[in-house]
Amino acid sequence: MVVMSTRGKIEISTELLRTLHRIHRQLTDLRSQIARGPRQIQAGETMVAKADADRQAAHDKLQKAKIASDEKQLQLQSRELNIEELKVKLNVAASNREFALLKEQIAADEQASSVLSDEILEGLERMDLLEKSLADAQEELERQQTEQAQRVSDVQQKLKTLHSERERVEAELEVSEQQIPAVIKSEYKRIAAAKGEDALAPTEADSCGGCNQTLTTQVMSTLHLSQLVRCPNCNAFLYLPEDRRVR
Ligand SMILES: [Zn+2]
């Protein structure tokens, strides 16, 4: 177990370590809030795309129903034309037998036409419903687009604030870092760059607040003397929290 304080005693202000950690935590929080922005926009875009696909599907369904209905209308027209022709033939029937056959044929065709007419009516009713669905889908798409435009504007506004806040906190960090003893500065920089806020940890009931490693009495008393101690487990720069007084 290597405890740095046993190699060479480095005086470091507990207040400074607390401040550094607070700033690093703020930066972590700001960075995660900044990262959330594009994700919110992305999620909104997914919702718009879904609404657009739904609208397209409703549109396609209606188109298909229209085509089917048009085909049936044409069928009906040609059947009716056919019936008219049969009626003409009926008028000039050469025999009773031909007359009876034509009569039978006309009755059958009229029956078939009537079934087709019913189907066409049902189709028209269904098309009314499909038109309503399309209008709803269109409305939903417009609602999602409006919401997304608002969301993008809100997120951009928020990001602007967050970026300037991050700049302010980074400047604050730089000022505080100037107070770090030169002998450990580059080591601190390296760890901070790699671990962010986990580069520092308060003690919690004689344990490392970062990794929960129990700290020895020697480590604890060194901390009370405002000397630099690294956690033997996670390597964090340890410090006493606000409620622990420094001797
Ligand atoms: Zn630790």
Side-chain angles (χ1 to χ4, degrees):
M1 189 167 85
V2 180
V3 178
M4 211 179 152
S5 66
T6 59
R7 296 211 302 258
K9 292 185 172 92
I10 300 164
E11 294 275 332
I12 189 158
S13 148
T14 303
E15 202 49 56
L16 172 62
L17 290 170
R18 287 173 184 164
T19 303
L20 285 171
H21 202 196
R22 174 186 58 76
I23 295 172
H24 275 295
R25 281 168 162 165
Q26 266 180 295
L27 282 175
T28 303
D29 179 51
L30 285 168
R31 283 186 196 118
S32 88
Q33 284 193 66
I34 287 168
R36 213 174 296 146
R39 285 204 300 270
Q40 283 172 330
I41 290 176
Q42 186 55 51
E45 268 163 20
T46 305
M47 285 194 278
V48 171
K50 190 195 171 293
D52 195 24
D54 288 350
R55 195 208 65 89
Q56 189 59 48
H59 172 265
D60 292 351
K61 244 180 173 171
L62 177 61
Q63 279 309 107
K64 237 171 132 180
K66 271 184 181 162
I67 290 166
S69 175
D70 287 351
E71 271 171 13
K72 281 186 176 167
Q73 302 261 24
L74 282 175
Q75 265 182 45
L76 185 63
Q77 275 171 24
S78 97
R79 266 180 201 280
E80 275 168 355
L81 223 69
N82 200 35
I83 291 168
E84 289 312 308
E85 281 168 15
L86 290 174
K87 279 180 178 168
V88 171
K89 282 182 190 167
L90 186 71
N91 285 334
V92 295
S95 66
N96 281 345
R97 184 172 153 71
E98 195 189 346
F99 185 88
L101 277 173
L102 283 166
K103 198 99 180 143
E104 214 173 280
Q105 178 70 52
I106 289 167
D109 283 5
E110 276 176 342
Q111 175 60 32
S113 285
S114 153
V115 169
L116 199 53
S117 288
D118 288 349
E119 283 177 17
I120 288 168
L121 277 178
E122 276 167 26
L124 290 175
E125 275 168 24
R126 190 165 167 264
M127 256 153 58
D128 278 350
L129 294 177
L130 290 174
E131 258 161 25
K132 170 88 173 65
S133 297
L134 176 58
D136 289 349
Q138 179 66 36
E139 200 180 298
E140 172 64 9
L141 174 61
E142 280 161 19
R143 195 180 66 81
Q144 290 288 354
Q145 283 169 334
T146 308
E147 272 185 20
Q148 177 65 356
Q150 184 61 49
R151 184 179 296 118
V152 168
S153 149
D154 288 351
V155 167
Q156 279 169 349
Q157 190 55 45
K158 180 124 193 269
L159 281 176
K160 229 169 145 183
T161 312
L162 288 170
H163 280 130
S164 72
E165 177 69 0
R166 186 178 65 182
E167 267 173 45
R168 188 188 64 74
V169 177
E170 276 170 352
E172 201 190 336
L173 180 65
E174 231 179 279
V175 170
S176 290
E177 282 176 341
Q178 283 164 12
Q179 298 168 51
I180 297 172
V183 62
I184 50 137
K185 201 160 184 172
S186 65
E187 174 70 354
Y188 156 83
K189 281 274 196 188
R190 191 181 62 78
I191 304 254
K195 299 173 73 172
E197 68 169 65
D198 293 335
L200 298 111
T203 60
E204 274 170 19
D206 296 353
S207 296
C208 166
C211 70
N212 289 325
Q213 164 90 28
T214 306
L215 302 167
T216 61
T217 323
Q218 190 207 355
V219 165
M220 290 309 293
S221 52
T222 311
L223 275 173
H224 279 282
L225 294 170
S226 288
Q227 283 168 4
L228 180 71
V229 190
R230 307 275 293 278
C231 170
N233 184 47
C234 74
N235 228 8
F237 287 66
L238 293 169
Y239 65 92
L240 295 170
E242 304 274 355
D243 56 3
R244 297 285 289 269
R245 240 183 308 138
V246 188
R247 271 177 232 144

